[in-house]
Amino acid sequence: MRCWLKIEEMALEELMQRLNAVSQCADEIMHQDIIPLYAADIQDQLKKQFAYLSGGRGGDGCPVITFPDYPAFSEIPEKEFQNVLTYLTSIPSLRDAGIGFILVIDRRQDKWTSVKASILRIAASFPGNLQLVLVLRPTGFFHRALSDIAFRFNRDELKMKVPIIMLGSVSELQGYIDKTQLTEDLGGTLDYCHNRWLSRRTAIEGFAQKVKQTAQILQSFGTELAETELPNDVQSTSSLLATHTEKKDKMKEDIRVAVEQGDDILGSITKPVTENPEYKLNQDQLDNQTTVERLLAQLHETETAFDEFWIKHQQKLEQCLRLRNFEQDFREVKAALDIVSERLSAFSDVGNSRSHVEHILKDLANFEEKSHETVAKARMLASERDAFIQSNHYAVDSIIPKCSELHHLCDAFTTETERRRNLLNKSLELHDLLEKSMKWCDEGIYLLASQPVDKCQSQDGAESALQEIEKFLDTGAGNKIKELNKIYREYAHILNEDLKEHVQKVFQKQESMEEMFQKRQVSLKKLAAKQTRPVQPVAPRPEAFVKSPCTSPGLQRENVSSSESSALRRVNYRKAKSEMTELHQSRGGSTMDDEENLAVLRQHVMNELIETERAYVEELLCVLEGYAAEMDNPLMAHLISPELQNKKDILFGNMEEIYHFHNRIFLRELETYVEYPELVGRCFLDQMEDFQIYEKYCQNKPRSESLWRQFSDSVFFQECQRKLDHKLSLDSYLLKPVQRITKYQLLLKEMLKYSKNCEGAEDLQEALTSILGILKAVNDSMHQIAITGYDGNLNELGKLLMQGSFNVWTDHKKGHTKVKDLARFKPMQRHLFLHEKAVLFCKKREENGEGYEKAPSYSYKHSLNMAAVGITENVKGDAKKFEIWYNAREEVYIVQAPTPEVKATWVNEIRKVLTSQLQACREASQHRTLEQTQSLPLPLPASSCASPSRNHIRNTKKMEEKKADLTSLEGCGTAVAPKYPEKGKGWAKASHSLDASEENDGWSSAEEPLNSSDAEEEGGGGGGEIKLTPGKYTVVTDYDKGVSEEFTVKSGDLVQLIREGEDGLWFVKNLSSGREGWIPANNLLMLIGNSKSAQSLSSSESGTASSNLSTSSSCSDSCNVSSTSFSDIKG
């Protein structure tokens, strides 16, 4: 770099010297270094032509300056006169000017006085050397004679440095100067035009100035080029090179124009000769020709000097640009190498199965193929080192280390790739050995299970079975693991903790299987020995079975470390197997073989579960790496259409989350149960919450499939499929999670079928139920996301419990009569969604589209708040119908299920929701009552229908119950009504009433207003009679058998108690219709008493709760249950 800078400085210095020489030479040629005067500066003065240089020469080559007859000669300013003489004397060459000038003063038409003044003025102002002065005196006789006399008398006054000769005619003049050197006005033949001479002199001088200016401009441009700092990036360097090249071209164009100008001047000078070869140029023209030729030579020298400098400068810029391109490529290639090296480091996994290792090897090969372009580019860039050296690049010292670094990185990447491949091949070799051993063990276990027990009872059968076993054991030479320590030594560099544990498990399984064979051999050898009497099979006595062979005592629910638990399981398992083997041998071995057969079947199911799980994990990984990751690969970006970009989350959903769960957690947990398949239900139960991630995936599946159908023909997907060598397209793999979650329940059913008498049967059944519940939740959620038109947030409605299609009739109090009648006969097709806090009524729309788009959509119609919902389980005339009513039967929906079983399921689920609300209400009420009881003494009632002693007993009993069980469900202000089969049974939670809220200001949580039950169902000290408590009540059962036929009440109506009658009848006023009549007290639920001290029966006095429940508004108040959050739910 320093050498280059030195060279560039030298080149600039040389250019400056050469261009300075050109400028000086131009001045010398034009004599500007002596007299810096140009014709253009005194053009007006020269045009007066009081003196001119015709180009004629004297005998010895002296230049001739002619002073023609000029009447106003005396009036010429001295400055102008001096400028013209100075300029004219500067034109001839220094050699000619040194000889001296011949002055020809033409005064033939003038007076002697003027002649004298002219001679004196010329003699005083002439700046050059004089050779001779020739004066043409006046031609008039008088002035001629006067001039002769005056010249004689004034000779001394006119004495000059050279002689003055007075001539009387031009013929005398020709005696001194040849006729060919005189102009026509002096009788000569010299061709002279003053305007032409002036124009040519101006052109020559302008050309000389152009040459000098060009040299100066090139000097400045060269300095600018040399002092320009080189940029540090490709774009700036390229721009700088383009800018300098453009300026250079402009300078070259200026030089070309100048050369053309000089050629034109030269052509004009030599034009007479060109036109007439016999024409001879005068000395002045020859001097002009020489001047122009010398100027052209200097101009060519200027151009040559600049071209040489530009070649070096251009080389520097091009080398700089090449360097910047190299540095940019180096950064890009190094970054790409760092990326591929980082990705290569991700291939640290040696695989957990043969298929996994093969998949990793395939991925490594694909990765190596993709990385080949990057490595090749890096090596090609590094190979440019020699080219830089050969071109004598100025920055070769900084390029060589970078090229060496690239070579090193490429070699390191290649070496590491080969090392990884060797490790994976070694892992593949180990997994082949382990799979052979496991397959050999499975075949051995199957052989033991398949040997018929009855045939082994005979000597021949036992010998045949024994031969089968011996023949099978002979095949173990090439299949089983012989020395565990040898495996550890040979594969030490790939054995991680998981793989080492896997090797141990396989070896332990092999040992266990060989132990089983040894024991079977012992039994068969005993049976094959000569028997003195036949063996009669005897059924085992029940007390002999101490424990089931399916039980694995080593696996307990206590929190024991995995290593200790595993060791304990192995010891106990072998011990149990040994005990059972001995026991079964003593009894003929039939039970042992049955249990062994079941164990083999369980093991087959377990093997299928684990192998399919491994394959599933590998398929997910393949999709994530082969498709999802490629969507972020810059090298594949050109294959992805703009509409598909940034849609990865839609296409793949949460597949990555599913993969990490199965790969990191579930698969490893499953493998810990490989020897105890009957206990695998615990594994499912422990991870059951994590399986909820499938709900999110399935909910996204319609969007994913729609997107896939749009872009299934994309070149990107085809290229990914080609690289993965998949026969099936991506959509088949996107369906894998849906297929897998449904596969688990089939495998659990199979495992449960073969494990009914084993320890883990209950866990298997619970796991199966939970998986089916997840499938139901997934299915329900798929329907839920299809709901349209609902303004709120469905998540705020709580968990979705049920969904299904029903026929629905409506019966609303506020509806028009005709509408009500029509609604009773014409059912509506509605799809119901039961949530924890609301039930939604939707209309099912027609299916259209393909795939998941064929799933129906549901148009939201209205919803009911579960806080104000009640049900009637049975509707007369149809076992498939039930009622859902709202706000004290203000709205009634008769729902017809497809089957009685569906109806029972829905009724039970709704009952659970209402019961949970009731329990929450009671617990809150108990908690509040307890707080008030502990802070304040229980107030005595001011007035009551019961006696003081009875009130005291009731209060005492309530306090004892609250102290005994704070969480009892009987402490909330809830009335329990008797069961009325003829009217149906219902569960209700009444809505808030405006009247009730206004009259209940003084009610406290210690007061528990309750409905009375039938006398037969009452317990405790209440006797058989319900005491009158004035206030408002809610009807819980329809009643239309009053004294007045016009008086009827329905469940949910609000009534005002007027007076108490006999036989348990109360006279009430229906606040809805305004009518009055008698009604059984058991049909009423206390809403609000008129007195703050009014008390009702405690829950212990109300007897057993029936299926007809209703929660009063006081309970809702005490539980802080507000319906405002659902005020907008009702559609």
Side-chain angles (χ1 to χ4, degrees):
M1 185 69 181
R2 293 178 179 176
C3 180
W4 171 259
L5 293 175
K6 185 176 181 180
I7 292 174
E8 187 178 25
E9 291 175 359
M10 293 174 62
L12 178 62
E13 184 178 354
E14 180 183 355
L15 176 66
M16 295 298 105
Q17 291 176 356
R18 295 176 68 176
L19 294 180
N20 283 328
V22 169
S23 298
Q24 293 174 4
C25 187
D27 289 338
E28 291 176 1
I29 293 171
M30 300 305 297
H31 303 159
Q32 297 299 317
D33 55 335
I34 301 173
I35 304 173
L37 195 61
Y38 295 95
D41 298 335
I42 58 174
Q43 187 173 7
D44 294 337
Q45 301 166 22
L46 291 172
K47 283 182 179 181
K48 293 179 180 180
Q49 201 176 348
F50 60 84
Y52 61 86
L53 188 66
S54 63
R57 291 290 188 271
D60 52 0
C62 298
V64 176
I65 296 178
T66 302
F67 290 89
D69 188 13
Y70 191 78
F73 185 81
S74 60
E75 298 176 1
I76 298 173
E78 184 63 27
K79 180 66 175 176
E80 293 182 7
F81 186 77
Q82 186 68 39
N83 287 340
V84 171
L85 292 181
T86 303
Y87 177 74
L88 292 176
T89 56
S90 67
I91 293 175
S93 64
L94 295 178
R95 183 182 64 82
D96 293 343
I99 297 174
F101 289 89
I102 296 177
L103 303 181
V104 177
I105 304 173
D106 184 9
R107 289 295 180 264
R108 289 176 292 176
Q109 302 300 326
D110 208 346
K111 301 176 181 180
W112 166 247
T113 55
S114 299
V115 172
K116 179 182 178 182
S118 297
I119 293 173
L120 292 175
R121 187 174 187 181
I122 292 170
S125 301
F126 196 78
N129 296 330
L130 290 173
Q131 181 71 21
L132 182 64
V133 178
L134 301 174
V135 181
L136 287 175
R137 60 190 176 185
T139 57
F141 176 79
F142 176 75
H143 291 289
R144 189 175 193 184
L146 181 62
S147 62
D148 290 339
I149 297 171
F151 181 73
R152 293 190 188 101
F153 286 103
N154 298 297
R155 183 180 294 273
D156 294 336
E157 185 180 353
L158 296 175
K159 189 176 181 180
M160 300 175 67
K161 297 178 182 179
V162 294
I164 300 175
I165 300 174
M166 301 296 290
L167 301 175
S169 64
V170 292
S171 58
E172 294 179 3
L173 178 62
Q174 294 174 358
Y176 293 94
I177 301 174
D178 190 79
K179 183 179 180 180
T180 58
Q181 302 299 317
L182 294 174
T183 60
E184 292 179 356
D185 58 338
L186 294 176
T189 61
L190 182 64
D191 182 20
Y192 175 76
C193 177
H194 188 70
N195 290 333
R196 183 179 61 195
W197 174 86
L198 183 59
S199 175
R200 184 169 296 168
R201 286 302 303 176
T202 304
I204 293 173
E205 291 175 357
F207 176 60
Q209 286 181 325
K210 183 72 173 179
V211 173
K212 184 177 180 180
Q213 289 175 358
T214 300
Q216 292 173 347
I217 291 173
L218 289 178
Q219 279 182 316
S220 300
F221 183 52
T223 305
E224 177 188 349
L225 296 183
E227 293 179 353
T228 301
E229 185 176 355
L230 298 179
N232 293 323
D233 60 279
V234 173
Q235 184 176 0
S236 300
T237 305
S238 179
S239 176
L240 180 64
L241 178 58
T243 302
H244 283 189
T245 303
E246 183 180 357
K247 290 183 178 180
K248 184 268 297 184
D249 293 339
K250 187 176 181 303
M251 296 303 303
K252 291 285 289 183
E253 179 65 19
D254 293 341
I255 294 174
R256 185 189 64 79
V257 172
V259 171
E260 288 182 355
Q261 181 181 352
D263 291 339
D264 291 342
I265 296 173
L266 185 62
S268 67
I269 295 173
T270 58
K271 183 177 180 181
V273 180
T274 305
E275 294 177 352
N276 184 10
E278 296 180 358
Y279 182 86
K280 293 183 179 180
L281 299 176
N282 58 41
Q283 190 62 42
D284 191 27
Q285 290 173 330
L286 291 174
D287 289 344
N288 287 341
Q289 180 181 359
T290 302
T291 299
V292 173
E293 288 175 349
R294 291 180 64 188
L295 289 173
L296 283 172
Q298 295 302 315
L299 188 60
H300 288 305
E301 169 64 15
T302 300
E303 185 177 13
T304 302
F306 177 73
D307 287 343
E308 292 176 0
F309 173 78
W310 170 255
I311 290 172
K312 296 177 181 178
H313 179 72
Q314 184 182 27
Q315 181 183 6
K316 181 189 73 170
L317 288 180
E318 289 176 348
Q319 288 187 351
C320 179
L321 180 60
R322 187 179 178 188
L323 174 63
R324 299 299 177 245
N325 280 316
F326 173 81
E327 291 174 344
Q328 178 175 314
D329 292 342
F330 173 79
R331 289 191 294 270
E332 292 176 356
V333 169
K334 188 175 183 303
L337 284 176
D338 292 340
I339 292 175
V340 296
S341 299
E342 183 179 355
R343 291 183 178 178
L344 179 62
S345 63
F347 286 87
S348 58
D349 194 358
V350 294
N352 52 26
S353 66
R354 189 182 192 281
S355 58
H356 190 197
V357 177
E358 289 176 344
H359 180 74
I360 297 176
L361 277 170
K362 186 176 180 180
D363 288 346
L364 181 62
N366 291 336
F367 168 74
E368 190 174 9
E369 181 182 354
K370 295 176 183 177
S371 305
H372 176 73
E373 182 179 354
T374 300
V375 176
K377 187 176 180 180
R379 292 193 182 278
M380 183 178 297
L381 186 62
S383 65
E384 294 184 9
R385 165 185 172 178
D386 296 336
F388 280 106
I389 295 176
Q390 292 175 2
S391 63
N392 294 323
H393 196 281
Y394 68 87
V396 69
D397 293 340
S398 64
I399 293 173
I400 292 177
K402 291 183 173 63
C403 294
S404 302
E405 183 180 359
L406 289 178
H407 277 300
H408 174 72
L409 290 175
C410 292
D411 294 340
F413 176 78
T414 304
T415 303
E416 182 63 18
T417 303
E418 189 63 27
R419 189 184 73 83
R420 301 273 182 181
R421 185 184 296 106
N422 292 336
L423 288 177
L424 290 172
N425 287 329
K426 203 69 177 174
S427 177
L428 186 63
E429 179 183 324
L430 175 59
H431 282 291
D432 282 338
L433 179 61
L434 296 177
E435 288 191 1
K436 285 182 181 180
S437 177
M438 292 180 67
K439 184 178 180 182
W440 184 67
C441 292
D442 291 340
E443 291 175 354
I445 295 173
Y446 182 78
L447 175 62
L448 294 178
S450 61
Q451 288 183 338
V453 178
D454 53 348
K455 292 185 180 180
C456 293
Q457 301 301 318
S458 64
Q459 184 175 358
D460 293 339
E463 290 178 351
S464 176
L466 192 58
Q467 290 175 358
E468 289 180 355
I469 292 176
E470 292 173 350
K471 183 178 180 180
F472 175 77
L473 291 176
D474 292 339
T475 63
N479 295 321
K480 68 178 183 178
I481 302 174
K482 297 178 182 179
E483 296 182 20
L484 190 60
N485 291 332
K486 183 179 179 182
I487 296 294
Y488 288 162
R489 290 193 302 271
E490 185 175 356
Y491 300 98
H493 49 293
I494 63 169
L495 282 177
N496 52 33
E497 293 298 326
D498 294 338
L499 190 54
K500 190 173 183 179
E501 184 179 357
H502 183 48
V503 172
Q504 292 174 348
K505 288 182 179 179
V506 173
F507 188 72
Q508 291 165 4
K509 181 177 181 179
Q510 180 181 298
E511 286 184 331
S512 300
M513 191 274 295
E514 289 177 337
E515 183 179 352
M516 292 171 61
F517 267 80
Q518 291 173 3
K519 293 180 180 179
R520 178 65 66 89
Q521 283 179 311
V522 172
S523 301
L524 291 175
K525 285 179 181 179
K526 290 181 181 179
L527 293 174
K530 188 175 181 180
Q531 301 178 9
T532 56
R533 57 175 181 168
V535 178
Q536 298 294 331
V538 181
R541 293 164 55 189
E543 62 272 12
F545 287 91
V546 179
K547 60 174 71 176
S548 170
C550 296
T551 304
S552 299
L555 286 179
Q556 302 296 332
R557 294 189 181 272
E558 290 82 12
N559 187 12
V560 185
S561 66
S562 60
S563 59
E564 294 176 352
S565 177
S566 178
L568 185 60
R569 283 199 300 267
R570 289 196 297 271
V571 172
N572 291 341
Y573 181 79
R574 293 176 186 173
K575 182 178 179 181
K577 292 292 291 181
S578 177
E579 292 175 355
M580 294 309 301
T581 302
E582 294 176 359
L583 184 62
H584 292 164
Q585 285 178 354
S586 66
R587 299 177 184 178
S590 61
T591 305
M592 176 190 70
D593 290 331
D594 292 340
E595 294 299 338
E596 285 182 354
N597 290 337
L598 290 176
V600 170
L601 293 172
R602 287 193 297 270
Q603 192 62 52
H604 278 303
V605 175
M606 190 66 190
N607 291 341
E608 180 183 359
L609 175 59
I610 293 178
E611 290 304 319
T612 55
E613 184 71 16
R614 288 171 180 166
Y616 173 56
V617 170
E618 291 168 7
E619 287 172 343
L620 292 181
L621 178 62
C622 184
V623 171
L624 292 173
E625 291 184 346
Y627 286 96
E630 290 298 302
M631 292 187 75
D632 298 328
N633 186 357
L635 300 178
M636 299 284 285
H638 65 285
L639 300 178
I640 304 176
S641 59
E643 296 82 2
L644 186 59
Q645 292 179 354
N646 302 322
K647 298 290 181 64
K648 185 173 73 172
D649 292 340
I650 296 177
L651 186 60
F652 298 96
N654 62 330
M655 179 181 285
E656 185 174 359
E657 183 183 9
I658 293 174
Y659 165 73
H660 288 312
F661 162 64
H662 284 272
N663 183 51
R664 298 174 180 175
I665 300 174
F666 191 61
L667 177 58
R668 297 181 181 181
E669 290 296 322
L670 278 179
E671 290 172 342
T672 61
Y673 289 87
V674 65
E675 296 183 6
Y676 310 98
E678 66 276 2
L679 302 180
V680 76
R682 299 179 186 176
C683 179
F684 279 89
L685 292 176
D686 291 341
Q687 311 301 330
M688 196 56 64
E689 290 185 3
D690 293 322
F691 279 102
Q692 303 295 332
I693 58 179
Y694 279 90
E695 185 172 342
K696 179 179 179 181
Y697 185 85
C698 293
Q699 287 178 350
N700 180 69
K701 196 67 177 70
R703 298 174 63 202
S704 172
E705 190 162 283
S706 176
L707 184 64
W708 165 254
R709 277 197 300 275
Q710 284 182 266
F711 301 99
S712 58
D713 297 333
S714 171
V715 179
F716 169 75
F717 292 125
Q718 294 175 4
E719 178 65 14
C720 291
Q721 184 177 348
R722 183 191 67 78
K723 289 182 179 180
L724 293 172
D725 195 21
H726 281 176
K727 295 181 180 179
L728 300 177
S729 55
L730 174 60
D731 59 328
S732 300
Y733 291 90
L734 293 177
L735 196 60
K736 292 292 183 182
V738 181
Q739 295 171 338
R740 187 59 183 172
I741 192 64
T742 57
K743 178 73 173 177
Y744 288 128
Q745 54 102 5
L746 300 177
L747 294 172
L748 286 173
K749 286 180 181 178
E750 286 293 308
M751 185 66 75
L752 183 61
K753 183 168 68 173
Y754 305 135
S755 310
K756 296 206 175 165
N757 297 325
C758 297
E759 175 185 351
E762 293 182 2
D763 288 338
L764 286 171
Q765 182 61 57
E766 186 178 350
L768 175 59
T769 303
S770 299
I771 286 291
L772 292 175
I774 289 177
L775 292 176
K776 176 184 176 299
V778 169
N779 182 60
D780 290 346
S781 67
M782 295 294 288
H783 288 272
Q784 182 183 12
I785 62 175
I787 297 176
T788 60
Y790 182 74
D791 294 335
N793 185 357
L794 292 173
N795 294 328
E796 294 178 356
L797 303 183
K799 182 180 179 182
L800 177 62
L801 304 175
M802 302 282 288
Q803 56 84 23
S805 295
F806 300 88
N807 291 330
V808 179
W809 290 263
T810 60
D811 184 9
H812 301 342
K813 289 184 179 181
K814 294 183 179 181
H816 192 272
T817 305
K818 292 185 178 180
V819 176
K820 289 169 60 179
D821 294 339
L822 180 62
R824 287 182 177 273
F825 296 100
K826 185 178 180 180
M828 296 178 293
Q829 299 295 326
R830 290 291 182 264
H831 200 90
L832 272 61
F833 293 86
L834 177 62
H835 293 260
E836 291 177 326
K837 297 181 180 180
V839 56
L840 272 62
F841 289 77
C842 301
K843 184 175 182 179
K844 186 176 180 180
R845 298 300 181 185
E846 294 182 359
E847 303 174 358
N848 49 33
E850 298 179 1
Y852 276 90
E853 287 188 356
K854 291 185 66 177
S857 62
Y858 303 99
S859 178
Y860 170 77
K861 294 302 180 181
H862 64 279
S863 57
L864 304 178
N865 181 3
M866 291 302 293
V869 162
I871 64 168
T872 302
E873 295 186 18
N874 296 317
V875 176
K876 186 175 181 181
D878 193 340
K880 296 184 291 184
K881 291 183 179 179
F882 63 98
E883 285 185 352
I884 300 178
W885 42 271
Y886 188 69
N887 276 348
R889 298 189 69 84
E890 184 177 291
E891 301 176 15
V892 179
Y893 300 89
I894 301 172
V895 182
Q896 184 184 46
T899 63
E901 291 76 15
V902 174
K903 168 202 166 180
T905 304
W906 272 73
V907 168
N908 289 336
E909 197 64 39
I910 295 174
R911 183 189 295 117
K912 290 179 183 178
V913 174
L914 298 179
T915 302
S916 64
Q917 292 179 352
L918 185 62
Q919 290 176 348
C921 181
R922 286 175 174 173
E923 291 172 0
S925 178
Q926 285 182 350
H927 182 69
R928 182 174 174 183
T929 302
L930 181 60
E931 289 179 349
Q932 293 182 355
T933 304
Q934 292 174 347
S935 59
L936 296 173
L938 188 64
L940 292 175
S943 61
S944 175
C945 296
S947 63
S949 60
R950 183 168 181 175
N951 288 336
H952 176 72
I953 294 172
R954 183 182 293 117
N955 291 334
T956 303
K957 188 172 184 179
K958 284 185 179 180
M959 291 297 295
E960 290 175 353
E961 288 176 351
K962 291 169 182 173
K963 292 179 180 179
D965 186 5
L966 294 177
T967 62
S968 172
L969 298 180
E970 305 299 333
C972 183
T974 304
V976 182
K979 186 175 181 180
Y980 291 92
E982 67 278 2
K983 294 294 181 183
K985 53 184 179 179
W987 295 59
K989 185 171 183 181
S991 61
H992 294 279
S993 169
L994 180 62
D995 296 336
S997 63
E998 290 174 352
E999 297 183 14
N1000 196 31
D1001 294 339
W1003 183 83
S1004 69
S1005 60
E1007 302 167 333
E1008 299 182 6
L1010 294 167
N1011 270 356
S1012 60
S1013 304
D1014 283 343
E1016 296 177 354
E1017 294 182 357
E1018 291 181 356
E1025 184 179 0
I1026 302 175
K1027 294 300 181 180
L1028 178 78
T1029 303
K1032 292 182 180 180
Y1033 291 77
T1034 298
V1035 179
V1036 295
T1037 306
D1038 294 350
Y1039 184 77
D1040 57 357
K1041 299 180 181 179
V1043 176
S1044 172
E1045 294 180 357
E1046 296 180 355
F1047 181 77
T1048 60
V1049 292
K1050 293 185 177 181
S1051 176
D1053 287 352
L1054 191 65
V1055 298
Q1056 176 72 45
L1057 176 60
I1058 298 177
R1059 63 179 180 275
E1060 182 180 10
E1062 298 178 353
D1063 298 328
L1065 294 177
W1066 287 356
F1067 191 79
V1068 297
K1069 179 180 180 180
N1070 191 337
L1071 298 180
S1072 300
S1073 62
R1075 300 182 181 275
E1076 297 180 352
W1078 295 92
I1079 186 173
N1082 293 329
N1083 286 29
L1084 302 179
L1085 169 66
M1086 176 64 181
L1087 184 62
I1088 299 176
N1090 290 336
S1091 173
K1092 182 177 180 180
S1093 61
Q1095 295 183 355
S1096 63
L1097 296 177
S1098 68
S1099 59
S1100 62
E1101 296 170 322
S1102 62
T1104 304
S1106 72
S1107 61
N1108 236 336
L1109 293 180
S1110 177
T1111 308
S1112 69
S1113 62
S1114 60
C1115 177
S1116 298
D1117 291 338
S1118 65
C1119 296
N1120 295 323
V1121 177
S1122 174
S1123 63
T1124 57
S1125 60
F1126 292 92
S1127 61
D1128 297 327
I1129 290 180
K1130 181 176 179 291

